Amino acid sequence: MEMARYAVQRQGARGRQFTEEESQTRTPWQRDRDRVLHSSGFRQLQYKTQVFLNHEGDFFRTRLTHSLEVAQISRSIARTLGVNEDLTEVIALAHDLGHTPFGHAGEDALQAAMKDWGGFDHNIQSLRQVTEIEARYHGFDGLNLTWETLEGLAKHHGPVRRPAPWLASFDGRYPLELSSHASVEAQIAAICDDVAYHGHDLDDGLRAGLLSFEDIEAVPLLKTCLEEARSLDWSGHGAFDRDQRIRHETVRRVINRLVGDLIARSRQTLAELKPQSADEVRQAGRAIVEFSPEMAERNREIRKFLHARMYRHWRVRRMTRKARIALAEICAILGDEPELLPTPWQEMALERRRAGNEVAARRVVADYIAGMTDRFAMEEHRRLMDLSVLG
């Protein structure tokens, strides 16, 4: 299918940081996607928390399933808007590669631990994962992804006016035009992050019993979708089977409403601005992929509801508190005594400390911790804190 003029095109691609001969059988962004899928960071996402810790149940979402759902929704929208599906997909798949174990509780702990050492941000860590941390290829560190993919990761929350030190340094070496908007493809992947997690967190909350159908009736869009699902003919279904299917039908309708509005509003904006290239999208001075004002308000209502009724539910808060304490203790112990790190990480941290670069030494520790899965982090905490567990 021929892409729209405002899509990222192969003939205008900006290449890679390190020159490589391109594949004869794949587009540059298909190759990016395949590198992400085969990366260590991507595999680790299967055991990283979305909301529920990995051991709390086999059917709850993890960072891996979240990323897959973001990619599916993103690719569908990209196809409808006539833009580069492969680029959209790889940005969606890679956007959470830098996430810590234990979800946002883990990120809070790592941010606090790194406050005096350059800070920590999981979006920047995703970029670091694919440019520095992955060690798979002979000629370079990282995955050597295309400029367009790196741009999408760097601008996940839009133009970057005041980049953090690491991002500013990387941009100095390999400029990503941080102050401009990203491509349509990157904008799709970013907003579909919201669409996906609102849908699946609602589903997981209902499945876990943290939310009830009566609870979600307090949110206008959720109430409408629930009423539509309930109005279907459920004769012949038992109570459990009926409620399970109503839950799925409700969530499906919520996602369809959000996606339908996104497409309609984005088409309207594209028709108004008439961008003739991806660069014109970047210089538009505004986001192109967005909700209508009415749906943006409905989306905010869902976010506010989930935050109050699910993310702050006492059962979730107990687990996140324990996770935050455990990760903070790991950070403190390994930050103060990098000699306790496994050999390759220990060598990197001590080399930087001996050179007088404590910021870099602490960054090695942060990279080690950010790459942990929930399960590994719990085991590492026991190894560091429990005398009955061998180191």
Side-chain angles (χ1 to χ4, degrees):
M1 186 178 81
E2 185 176 354
M3 290 190 289
R5 290 184 177 182
Y6 48 78
V8 170
Q9 311 278 352
R10 185 166 187 169
Q11 53 268 37
R14 304 197 192 187
R16 303 176 187 273
Q17 186 178 10
F18 303 99
T19 302
E20 291 185 79
E21 182 179 347
E22 286 297 343
S23 171
Q24 299 302 305
T25 58
R26 297 171 292 174
T27 71
W29 304 287
Q30 288 171 342
R31 192 181 198 187
D32 280 2
R33 177 203 59 207
D34 295 345
R35 287 184 172 185
V36 168
L37 290 174
H38 286 277
S39 69
S40 300
F42 190 73
R43 289 196 302 278
Q44 289 162 346
L45 295 180
Q46 69 181 311
Y47 294 117
K48 290 192 177 187
T49 296
Q50 182 63 29
V51 173
F52 298 94
L53 267 62
N54 181 257
H55 68 281
E56 291 186 81
D58 293 338
F59 294 101
F60 297 125
R61 267 65 169 202
T62 65
R63 286 286 158 189
L64 178 63
T65 58
H66 165 69
S67 298
L68 293 172
E69 291 180 33
V70 175
Q72 179 271 311
I73 298 169
S74 297
R75 186 153 193 157
S76 295
I77 295 175
R79 184 181 306 117
T80 303
L81 294 180
V83 297
N84 191 322
E85 294 180 47
D86 297 327
L87 173 58
T88 308
E89 181 182 33
V90 68
I91 296 170
L93 290 172
H95 83 278
D96 262 353
L97 288 178
H99 230 297
T100 62
F102 308 138
H104 290 287
E107 182 170 15
D108 290 345
L110 209 43
Q111 283 175 342
M114 292 296 291
K115 178 170 59 71
D116 297 327
W117 313 105
F120 181 87
D121 177 271
H122 82 265
N123 291 311
I124 292 176
Q125 191 71 8
S126 294
L127 196 59
R128 294 191 65 246
Q129 184 74 28
V130 300
T131 58
E132 292 185 355
I133 298 173
E134 289 284 340
R136 305 177 64 84
Y137 300 98
H138 172 262
F140 47 81
D141 291 329
L143 303 180
N144 199 30
L145 303 180
T146 59
W147 185 93
E148 293 80 11
T149 299
L150 298 183
E151 178 204 28
L153 296 178
K155 301 176 187 176
H156 186 67
H157 294 301
V160 184
R161 309 298 184 193
R162 299 194 312 188
W166 182 89
L167 183 55
S169 174
F170 182 81
D171 186 62
R173 301 191 303 275
Y174 191 60
L176 294 174
E177 300 176 6
L178 295 176
S179 62
S180 69
H181 283 270
S183 63
V184 170
E185 291 86 351
Q187 292 182 41
I188 291 171
I191 202 163
C192 285
D193 190 12
D194 272 15
V195 174
Y197 79 68
H198 284 169
H200 62 53
D201 286 359
L202 178 63
D203 187 26
D204 281 351
L206 289 166
R207 177 193 289 273
L210 303 187
L211 304 174
S212 67
F213 288 149
E214 289 68 32
D215 291 333
I216 70 174
E217 287 179 335
V219 184
L221 179 60
L222 303 186
K223 181 179 181 180
T224 299
C225 294
L226 175 61
E227 288 174 347
E228 289 179 6
R230 279 175 162 166
S231 70
L232 300 172
D233 181 6
W234 294 107
S235 58
H237 294 273
F240 177 80
D241 180 53
R242 179 197 63 218
D243 287 350
Q244 177 176 265
R245 291 171 188 259
I246 287 174
R247 184 180 83 238
H248 289 305
E249 287 287 348
T250 300
V251 172
R252 184 167 69 89
R253 282 166 168 75
V254 171
I255 293 173
N256 284 344
R257 289 291 214 297
L258 294 171
V259 169
D261 183 87
L262 263 178
I263 291 171
R265 181 69 176 189
S266 301
R267 279 176 165 165
Q268 179 183 336
T269 304
L270 286 164
E272 291 171 0
L273 297 179
K274 298 180 174 61
Q276 298 301 300
S277 68
D279 282 339
E280 288 191 17
V281 169
R282 295 184 177 101
Q283 300 306 322
R286 56 174 289 191
I288 285 176
V289 182
E290 59 184 358
F291 295 114
S292 65
E294 297 78 13
M295 190 57 76
E297 179 59 26
R298 301 290 84 77
N299 193 54
R300 282 191 290 271
E301 289 168 353
I302 297 173
R303 181 185 295 113
K304 184 178 179 181
F305 169 78
L306 288 172
H307 184 79
R309 301 301 297 271
M310 183 173 171
Y311 308 144
R312 297 187 65 79
H313 191 284
W314 67 267
R315 282 169 52 192
V316 174
R317 292 183 70 178
R318 280 189 178 187
M319 293 306 295
T320 56
R321 182 181 185 276
K322 288 187 281 188
R324 190 181 300 111
I325 291 171
L327 212 65
E329 290 177 341
I330 295 173
C331 291
I333 292 169
L334 297 181
D336 291 342
E337 296 185 68
E339 295 85 356
L340 300 179
L341 287 164
T343 301
W345 295 94
Q346 178 188 137
E347 291 172 351
M348 289 188 288
L350 292 178
E351 177 185 358
R352 287 154 178 77
R353 177 169 281 184
R354 284 192 292 266
N357 192 342
E358 186 64 19
V359 171
R362 297 278 178 160
R363 183 62 56 190
V364 171
V365 175
D367 289 344
Y368 173 65
I369 294 171
M372 294 179 180
T373 63
D374 293 1
R375 184 168 57 190
F376 185 90
M378 288 187 284
E379 292 172 352
E380 186 77 334
H381 185 257
R382 285 193 288 269
R383 285 191 289 265
L384 291 169
M385 301 291 291
D386 188 341
L387 284 170
S388 67
V389 177
L390 293 176

